[in-house]
Amino acid sequence: MRMASKLGAALLGAALLLGSGPDKASACAICLSAITVTTGQKLDAADQVVLASPLAGGRQFRIVENVKGEASIGAIVDATADRANQVASQAGQLSLLARNGVSLRWTDFGGVHAESAGWLRAFLRTNDGRAKAPPRVWPLVSPAQAVSDSTDWSKRIDLIAPSLESDDPLIAEIAFAELSRTPYEAMRALKTALNVTELRRWIQDPALAKRQDAYLLLLGIAGDTDDMALLEDRLLKAHASKDATNVAALLAADLELRGPERVAWIEENYLLDLGRSLPEIEAALLALSVHGGTNGAIPQRRIVEAYRHFIRERKPMAGFVATYLSDWQAWEAVPDYVEVLRSNAVKDPASQLAILVYLRDSPGFEGRLAAEAFVKRAD
């Protein structure tokens, strides 16, 4: 994951989504796909989804079964491949097609076993189409995350969890992509349903390296003391080598297993350690933000306390946590940010903007007056 780009987008998101209000159903920031809309989202948005038999030439398909909507069985349609997410067809499979209700164009997502039709129907029933208010996502990584979402995550997560690494590659791709945008709070509900042995195997599999962040998070949710030792070993190696790869997920999983006392260790070894690189610091902040947004294993007030410590000690980076604090309506940091603005320590415009948004949203006069004074000085 590219932590720097994710965090920069979060700061920009403060301006883009000002006034939309916080949303606890924001996707988990650590394993969220960075730039693409998932296959699941495209299926949710389609007015018709079918299984079809490919005809000679590769562009035409005969519809054989409806998954969503009421397409004419036996009808022949033209479809173009989904270049972002298409999964190659295997012998004996049908093609999964979806139609855009506006353009009326069909897209081919690749091959799927006919037996997966029931799973796909159940999957699509977990989105009732009744859109909620656009979430204020942290971090904002794609325009797709700034639109309304009508997914019932409590139902969808129960459906996709058993299909991770399914023998049907397209179903596995859909399941994992949806896991990647599942709110962490919904992930935590899977604690007793997850297969820990499988998670441990997937984390060790080099072929699944790109999926490690999500599986590490799940291991933190479902794991035990043996997994604490595994995470500890990987964290110590990453810390010694100053490698930020998977550190956000490792820290978030470690926090889930160890509880609030682990926050102080992260403060000492990452947030306040002047020898840490920017990607490492950003990874630690993201790990803390996941827990701050759920108020579960770690009380939100403890995360806010760590962020305030970070603001006071690392003033030039203070804007890195402003969007999180705004989302949580944690106004305790107003005096800290007022002091940061007065010190003129923050030079990055995006960070300044995030702090100004936080102060302007705050309920008291102190923050708003400080924001106005800063803008006047800048003019």
Side-chain angles (χ1 to χ4, degrees), residues 68-351:
K68 177 183 180 182
E70 297 181 358
S72 297
I73 302 299
I76 296 175
V77 298
D78 293 326
T80 56
D82 181 72
R83 295 182 179 178
N85 301 312
Q86 190 186 46
V87 174
S89 297
Q90 299 175 352
Q93 288 186 323
L94 296 172
S95 293
L96 177 63
L97 309 183
R99 190 182 78 163
N100 183 303
V102 177
S103 68
L104 303 184
R105 293 178 178 175
W106 289 90
T107 299
D108 171 24
F109 292 100
V112 67
H113 297 308
E115 296 78 11
S116 296
W119 185 91
L120 288 163
R121 290 191 191 97
F123 173 85
L124 291 169
R125 284 197 296 271
T126 63
N127 188 312
D128 59 16
R130 291 175 289 189
K132 305 170 183 65
R136 186 163 168 169
V137 176
W138 35 266
L140 184 70
V141 295
S142 164
Q145 270 84 57
V147 300
S148 302
D149 181 35
S150 51
T151 306
D152 185 335
W153 286 110
S154 63
K155 294 180 179 179
R156 180 160 289 190
I157 191 68
D158 284 338
L159 184 70
I160 65 178
S163 296
L164 297 169
E165 305 310 321
S166 167
D167 291 336
D168 193 331
L170 182 52
I171 297 302
E173 184 276 327
I174 292 172
F176 180 80
E178 291 302 294
L179 174 68
S180 296
R181 70 184 195 95
T182 300
Y184 186 66
E185 188 171 11
M187 287 186 190
R188 296 184 77 240
L190 290 174
K191 183 175 179 65
T192 59
L194 292 168
N195 186 321
V196 182
T197 301
E198 285 188 339
L199 286 173
R200 290 167 182 155
R201 185 174 70 251
W202 295 342
I203 288 168
Q204 301 296 336
D205 188 347
L208 300 178
K210 293 182 179 179
R211 299 185 174 186
Q212 278 203 25
D213 282 339
Y215 291 156
L216 283 167
L217 285 179
L218 293 182
L219 184 66
I221 292 167
D224 55 25
T225 53
D226 288 339
D227 300 302
M228 285 187 192
L230 181 149
L231 295 172
E232 175 84 8
D233 180 65
R234 290 189 59 171
L235 277 171
L236 290 176
K237 289 178 179 176
H239 190 271
S241 63
K242 296 188 177 181
D243 182 4
T245 306
N246 301 129
V247 164
L250 287 166
L251 289 174
D254 195 50
L255 284 166
E256 185 72 42
L257 285 168
R258 294 179 185 271
E261 67 274 6
R262 193 59 162 172
V263 177
W265 184 88
I266 294 176
E267 288 185 274
E268 179 183 352
N269 289 278
Y270 282 95
L271 302 189
L272 306 181
D273 182 352
L274 297 180
R276 292 300 107 191
S277 66
L278 182 59
E280 289 177 286
I281 293 171
E282 290 172 337
L285 293 174
L286 282 173
L288 291 169
S289 78
V290 166
H291 288 280
T294 60
N295 209 14
I298 314 294
Q300 187 181 88
R301 65 179 181 277
R302 180 64 184 94
I303 306 298
V304 172
E305 179 185 330
Y307 280 0
R308 292 190 66 188
H309 196 186
F310 177 77
I311 292 168
R312 292 191 294 267
E313 297 298 323
R314 308 294 292 267
K315 285 184 174 65
M317 298 181 181
F320 286 13
V321 299
T323 304
Y324 303 135
L325 296 171
S326 291
D327 286 345
W328 305 335
Q329 298 184 14
W331 309 122
E332 304 95 310
V334 166
D336 305 316
Y337 275 130
V338 169
E339 177 57 32
V340 166
L341 289 187
R342 288 174 179 166
S343 71
N344 202 31
V346 177
K347 306 301 181 182
D348 174 55
S351 294

